[in-house]
Amino acid sequence: MIDHLTLARAEWDGYAAVYDDDPDHGLRDPEVRGAWRTLLLQHLPPPPAAVADLGCGSGSLSVLLAEQGYDVHGLDLSDRMLDVARAKAEDAGVDIAFSQGDASEPGLETGAFDVVLCRHVLWALPDPSRALARWVDLLRPGGRLVLVEGSWSTGAGLPARRTADLVREHRDEATVRHLPEREYWGRQIDDDRYLVVSTY
Ligand SMILES: C[S@@+](CC[C@H](N)C(=O)[O-])C[C@H]1O[C@@H](n2cnc3c(N)ncnc32)[C@H](O)[C@@H]1O
């Protein structure tokens, strides 16, 4: 019997070569790239804060933040996605620690990060609440969770209120900011995509 991690890994390995073709994935369009840069800088502590980018995929957000002076560790299940991420970091001339692993049990150093960043991964984990408990453990005192999720027109994803409630199982506070603006996605969207930030 094939376990869910092996299946997910194979699926994402197969997607790696074309993943960045979507504007919000590759961040190749300067307007989209600039929108994500501005958004993240509004919600992150100043560089050189330490950021764990869990499910970093092709590394677009990791590289964006490393270019701003953040100390980034990107973790992903898929070796092929990590290959893309490492090549992107090298092209950009930034130094990022990448490792292969399961975001549900990241195995990174406890209490070592100012930010746990995760975009479009939490919803797909088998036990999001348990994963969030692990992520909170990664944070230094005063550290924050920065999550980008969605409730997509395909039916996949997590409603914003559900994500905030999951975070509040482990934290005192979680704030939702909806992201309907096309500048983040490179096109008009008709579903709910959002940011959840928890600072304490
Ligand atoms: C939709 S992509 C998001 C990538 C990146 N965060 C971004 O915003 O572009 C989902 C990523 O999560 C990774 N992933 C899926 N399940 C995972 C798990 N259990 N642990 C770590 N990474 C996982 C996949 O390999 C893929 O790279």
Side-chain angles (χ1 to χ4, degrees), residues 43-125:
H43 293 283
L44 266 59
V51 179
D53 183 6
L54 302 182
C56 65
S58 64
S60 292
L61 295 185
S62 292
V63 169
L64 189 71
L65 292 178
E67 286 175 340
Q68 299 302 307
Y70 288 92
D71 177 15
V72 183
H73 189 121
L75 176 139
D76 202 274
L77 193 60
S78 158
D79 285 312
R80 297 291 79 77
M81 292 293 264
L82 286 168
D83 288 344
V84 175
R86 288 192 179 99
K88 196 180 290 177
E90 190 174 336
D91 283 351
V94 290
D95 194 16
I96 298 175
F98 287 110
S99 62
Q100 192 276 335
D102 178 6
S104 293
E105 298 282 351
L108 302 178
E109 189 183 341
T110 300
F113 295 92
D114 301 296
V115 178
V116 168
L117 169 69
C118 184
R119 186 174 75 156
H120 298 162
V121 182
L122 181 70
W123 73 274
L125 299 180

Side-chain angles (χ1 to χ4, degrees), residues 160-178:
R161 184 179 297 181
R162 174 76 185 131
T163 301
D165 285 347
L166 283 165
V167 171
R168 288 191 200 103
E169 291 176 12
H170 308 282
R171 304 275 282 180
D172 289 337
E173 176 268 350
T175 305
V176 176
R177 172 172 172 177
H178 294 275

